[in-house]
Amino acid sequence: MSVYTQLTDDQFADFCHRFGVSFARAIPITQGIKNSNWFIQTTDDVDGAHSYVFTLFEERPPEDIEKMAIILNQLDGKLPVAAPLSLLDLGADSAEKGYVIRYDNKAITLVPCLAGSHPQQTTQAMCHEIGAALAMLHETLQALQPAEEYGVPLYPWSDVRDRERQFMPADEAKLMSDIWQSYTDLPLATLPKGLCHLDMFADNTLWDLSLNNSQKGEARLTGLLDFTEVSVEHYVMDIAITINDFCTTWGDAEQGESVNFDRSKMAAFLQGYESKRMLGEDEKRALPVMLAKAAVIFWLLRLNVIHYNRTEGRTGDNIMVKNPDLMKRLAAYHWSHVEKAQSTVFVLEHARYKDDDKNNDVEDFKIIGVFATEQQAQAAIEQLKSQSGFKDYPNGFHIDAYPLNQINWSQGFGC
């Protein structure tokens, strides 16, 4: 990703030698915003090819990166990942493999390059495939227990929120606060958790985008990258993070940096995910708020990078900054859908028809309750349908949706 720490060719050669790799050239990788990365050409590479990616982790301690290596080995063979090379100089008596060089209190790894390219645009088919891959990741990493020993601590985003809100316009601060509060109000204790990637953006994936495959709409996933943020988190948050990038078209500067979310791509993603792991009803209800919260987190992440670049004097052509306003606009888009859903209530009624036939006259009528979501009204039906009276008239339940603060019958009626 962006190059923050400079290394000499002699240093690269020494580090690569410890992994059993003969160094020829290091090529900076400028995409991304967190770590220093280079492609490594070896003495065996020809025609400008490169075989490895050399990463110097700017923030994560070496202990966290060792955990990442174990995670990648767990996934290797089930998903297209590049597991770090092991060091050759630990000694013949070492019972464990080491994957990390410690340099200036930072970690260095060397991993094989995976084939493929970053997609400039995604398709519904790609969203379906990445959804299935993310579910497989969630399922596979359940074998690493206790999960907290393998995941890195979640970043204290609330601290960044409190710092950045001081400098925001009032409407932006309110948007962030409203989304955060709605997230806090979710039944978080009921949502399944486990080891999550938490940064599965399209530029952290590789695909076979050959002309033949592209013409058929059959781009194939060839690589999942950047496992530095793997933490114990709600699976639905990981889903939301991935959907936000894969299902959004980000316009470039000439297009006014537009943000266009595609709900048909989201539907394809969820179909792919549920082909490997079914979502619970609580997860489905939480997803709209999680989409907004995920956008807020990456809004804060980009503001945080700007903050650290400024305070640490990071400058130069190899430093890339992503526009935080794009994530702010995506957060606002998702929040508008949450607010729309929150402005509708669902009225559950029961009518006792003669012989439980809706074509017959109503003998009795009850308003059972008013609910915030249709799923809650359906759950009430499940609870009541076996009770005395209701069980004899199962066809009498009916749910109506009513927008708040609107007249739902605007005409008179005849007597």
Side-chain angles (χ1 to χ4, degrees), residues 137-201:
L137 182 150
H138 291 163
E139 294 280 85
T140 302
L141 293 185
Q142 289 179 17
L144 297 179
Q145 295 295 331
E148 288 76 12
E149 291 188 3
Y150 296 92
V152 300
L154 290 170
Y155 198 83
W157 293 114
S158 58
D159 294 346
V160 182
R161 174 202 63 193
D162 293 343
R163 183 192 71 216
E164 294 294 335
R165 272 194 314 198
Q166 303 175 63
F167 310 106
M168 288 181 179
D171 59 335
E172 293 184 10
K174 183 179 186 305
L175 172 65
M176 184 173 289
S177 297
D178 288 348
I179 293 172
W180 208 284
Q181 185 60 54
S182 187
Y183 164 80
T184 303
D185 291 341
L186 290 173
L188 297 173
T190 71
L191 300 177
K193 300 178 75 171
L195 290 168
C196 294
H197 187 279
L198 301 180
D199 196 19
M200 195 69 80
F201 275 40

Side-chain angles (χ1 to χ4, degrees), residues 117-138:
S117 306
H118 301 304
Q120 297 301 311
Q121 298 290 339
T122 62
T123 64
Q124 288 189 27
M126 293 168 72
C127 291
H128 187 280
E129 187 168 353
I130 197 65
L134 189 66
M136 179 65 73
L137 182 150
H138 291 163

Side-chain angles (χ1 to χ4, degrees), residues 1-49:
M1 296 180 177
S2 296
V3 174
Y4 302 115
T5 300
Q6 302 299 323
L7 298 175
T8 66
D9 282 351
D10 286 343
Q11 287 175 309
F12 278 116
D14 289 342
F15 293 143
C16 288
H17 178 72
R18 294 186 61 188
F19 291 110
V21 170
S22 57
F23 170 79
R25 183 186 175 203
I27 305 166
I29 304 174
T30 58
Q31 292 83 12
I33 55 178
K34 296 176 188 173
N35 302 311
S36 297
N37 286 269
W38 297 261
F39 288 121
I40 297 297
Q41 288 183 359
T42 73
T43 55
D44 295 325
D45 288 328
V46 295
D47 299 329

Side-chain angles (χ1 to χ4, degrees), residues 226-355:
D226 197 351
F227 284 74
T228 59
E229 303 298 326
V230 173
S231 304
V232 176
E233 179 57 289
H234 298 107
Y235 293 135
V236 68
M237 174 58 81
D238 209 13
I239 291 167
I241 289 170
T242 310
I243 285 175
N244 271 350
D245 192 59
F246 267 84
C247 302
T248 303
T249 300
W250 311 97
D252 57 27
E254 293 180 357
Q255 298 169 315
E257 293 193 311
S258 59
V259 176
N260 300 297
F261 188 79
D262 189 328
R263 305 192 79 82
S264 63
K265 287 184 179 180
M266 179 171 71
F269 176 98
L270 293 172
Q271 289 173 358
Y273 187 93
E274 292 203 281
S275 71
K276 303 296 183 182
R277 173 184 174 267
M278 294 300 296
L279 290 169
E281 291 303 317
D282 283 350
E283 291 179 291
K284 293 177 182 178
R285 287 191 289 269
L287 181 58
V289 173
M290 286 292 191
L291 289 166
K293 173 71 182 307
V296 166
I297 292 300
F298 280 82
W299 177 10
L300 289 171
L301 184 153
R302 294 177 180 188
L303 290 172
N304 205 38
V305 169
I306 293 171
H307 169 79
Y308 278 109
N309 285 348
R310 182 173 60 248
T311 57
E312 297 183 16
R314 293 172 172 176
T315 59
D317 293 338
N318 286 337
I319 304 300
M320 189 177 88
V321 177
K322 294 185 177 180
N323 186 355
D325 282 352
L326 299 180
M327 283 296 173
K328 176 190 70 179
R329 283 180 243 161
L330 184 60
Y333 167 84
H334 286 312
W335 185 239
S336 70
H337 282 74
V338 172
E339 288 186 313
K340 182 178 179 181
Q342 290 176 341
S343 67
T344 301
V345 296
F346 297 85
V347 178
L348 173 59
E349 303 162 337
H350 184 272
R352 189 177 72 192
Y353 300 99
K354 183 180 179 180
D355 299 326

Side-chain angles (χ1 to χ4, degrees), residues 194-212:
L195 290 168
C196 294
H197 187 279
L198 301 180
D199 196 19
M200 195 69 80
F201 275 40
D203 62 5
N204 276 331
T205 64
L206 297 172
W207 301 78
D208 180 354
L209 299 174
S210 61
L211 181 60
N212 186 47

Side-chain angles (χ1 to χ4, degrees), residues 70-86:
I70 296 173
I71 288 168
L72 285 164
N73 281 320
Q74 182 69 26
L75 295 172
D76 195 24
K78 297 181 179 179
L79 288 169
V81 299
L85 300 185
S86 58

